[in-house]
Amino acid sequence: MKRRKTPAKEAVLKLLSQRQKAMSHDAIEQEIEVDANRATIYRVLNQFCDDGIVHKVVAEDGKQYFAVCMDCKGEKIPNHHFHFRCTTCDTIECLGESVHFSIPEGYRVKDVNCLLSGTCPDCT
Amino acid sequence: MKRRKTPAKEAVLKLLSQRQKAMSHDAIEQEIEVDANRATIYRVLNQFCDDGIVHKVVAEDGKQYFAVCMDCKGEKIPNHHFHFRCTTCDTIECLGESVHFSIPEGYRVKDVNCLLSGTCPDCT
DNA sequence: AATATTAATGCGACTTTGTTGCAATAATAA
DNA sequence: TTATTATTGCAACAAAGTCGCATTAATATT
Ligand SMILES: [Mn+2]
Ligand SMILES: [Mn+2]
Ligand SMILES: [Zn+2]
Ligand SMILES: [Zn+2]
């Protein structure tokens, strides 16, 4: 499947690139510059995720947040790093800090999801 | 509000105590010994959380998982530890491993949520 | 033991988040 | 300019979770 350049994709990517932080679908839909259907936005976001352009974080509120990660430039499997969610401005950002751990025998780790939450510098 | 002892509460707590692992509402409803309405189970679980009897983990699937944590015995703020989610048997367990991190100036961390996922020893 | 109080329950309606099928549209290739 | 097919909008759907309200039942009181 060859990808096509569309207004919806450009707008989403532009918005996500401007902000340094991860946004929920809801926030994206509100702040985006073009009109786009909910399903379209989700499809665009999921496609970006598949292509490794943006990545997805699920927060403690159970919602998905999407961001263009600064640290992992195109790498398929980026270094596992902490994410920080500000509960005041409701955004998530990537922290440089990487995650270190060791686990008991027998466990096979396929994914790492570490989310700190609180208030960010902008909201203090 | 004084708490009352009811079949639903006893059944949920019994099930959660037997298993070492965190269970979703769905799993609890299926395996519980009494018939209980969905709303009732959620209310019971949330009450337990308020009372500090069980605690809640949100997984990458966006669902809530509930467990009687082994490590934090009644402590209000337990030590931050990793959780592990087996995507095969769909359970979550507390790992002894604690979470270490340092964050930039200006951030105020109020909550820590670290979830590893993959397959557990039982499912290999 | 009978009665009063009110926490807990069941039911249904509702919200939110996210996905999917399908026909119509539009970006790219030929 | 035409053909191909990725993308979109729409509506319907699914899953997770919450809430109002009348009813039930656990505890306290008499
Ligand atoms: Mn990141
Ligand atoms: Mn735990
Ligand atoms: Zn903030
Ligand atoms: Zn398992």
Side-chain angles (χ1 to χ4, degrees):
Chain A
M1 252 203 264
K2 286 168 192 168
R3 304 271 118 110
R4 292 179 183 178
K5 194 178 202 176
T6 71
K9 289 186 186 178
E10 288 185 293
V12 168
L13 200 56
K14 182 185 174 190
L15 175 59
L16 247 36
S17 299
Q18 283 174 184
R19 309 291 166 86
Q20 318 303 56
K21 303 181 177 181
M23 305 172 70
S24 66
H25 160 271
D26 197 48
I28 293 172
E29 189 171 47
Q30 281 183 7
E31 304 189 30
I32 209 174
E33 284 173 344
V34 301
D35 274 340
N37 184 265
R38 185 171 71 259
T40 299
I41 297 182
Y42 273 118
R43 279 189 278 232
V44 164
L45 288 169
N46 286 330
Q47 196 178 75
F48 285 159
C49 285
D50 289 343
D51 296 347
I53 298 172
V54 316
H55 63 169
K56 183 194 295 184
V57 180
V58 175
E60 329 86 292
D61 61 4
K63 295 200 302 185
Q64 304 177 344
Y65 289 75
F66 302 87
V68 181
C69 186
M70 304 293 117
D71 304 331
C72 51
K73 306 176 181 177
E75 302 168 25
K76 281 276 175 180
I77 303 173
N79 230 30
H80 297 306
H81 49 269
F82 281 95
H83 289 127
F84 185 89
R85 172 167 176 247
C86 177
T87 53
T88 299
C89 62
D90 198 41
T91 54
I92 299 180
E93 59 187 305
C94 302
L95 298 179
E97 181 90 359
S98 21
V99 179
H100 297 117
F101 60 90
S102 65
I103 51 166
E105 272 296 319
Y107 291 86
R108 192 165 305 168
V109 177
K110 289 177 187 161
D111 198 16
V112 176
N113 231 302
C114 291
L115 185 62
L116 312 176
S117 61
T119 48
C120 75
D122 299 341
C123 295
T124 303
Chain B
M1 252 202 266
K2 287 167 193 169
R3 305 270 119 111
R4 293 180 182 175
K5 193 178 203 175
T6 71
K9 289 187 188 178
E10 289 185 293
V12 168
L13 199 56
K14 181 185 174 189
L15 175 60
L16 248 36
S17 300
Q18 282 174 186
R19 308 291 165 88
Q20 319 301 58
K21 303 183 176 180
M23 304 172 71
S24 66
H25 159 270
D26 197 48
I28 293 172
E29 189 171 48
Q30 282 184 6
E31 304 191 28
I32 209 174
E33 284 174 342
V34 301
D35 274 340
N37 185 265
R38 184 173 69 257
T40 298
I41 295 181
Y42 274 116
R43 280 189 280 234
V44 163
L45 289 169
N46 287 330
Q47 197 179 72
F48 285 157
C49 286
D50 290 342
D51 297 348
I53 299 172
V54 316
H55 66 168
K56 185 193 296 186
V57 179
V58 175
E60 329 89 293
D61 61 3
K63 295 200 302 182
Q64 305 175 345
Y65 290 74
F66 302 87
V68 181
C69 186
M70 305 293 116
D71 303 332
C72 51
K73 305 177 181 179
E75 301 167 24
K76 282 276 176 181
I77 306 172
N79 229 32
H80 296 305
H81 50 268
F82 281 95
H83 288 128
F84 185 89
R85 170 164 177 251
C86 177
T87 52
T88 300
C89 63
D90 197 41
T91 55
I92 299 180
E93 59 187 305
C94 304
L95 297 181
E97 181 91 359
S98 17
V99 179
H100 297 117
F101 60 90
S102 65
I103 51 166
E105 272 296 320
Y107 292 86
R108 192 165 307 167
V109 176
K110 289 176 186 160
D111 198 16
V112 176
N113 234 301
C114 292
L115 185 62
L116 312 177
S117 60
T119 47
C120 77
D122 299 340
C123 295
T124 303

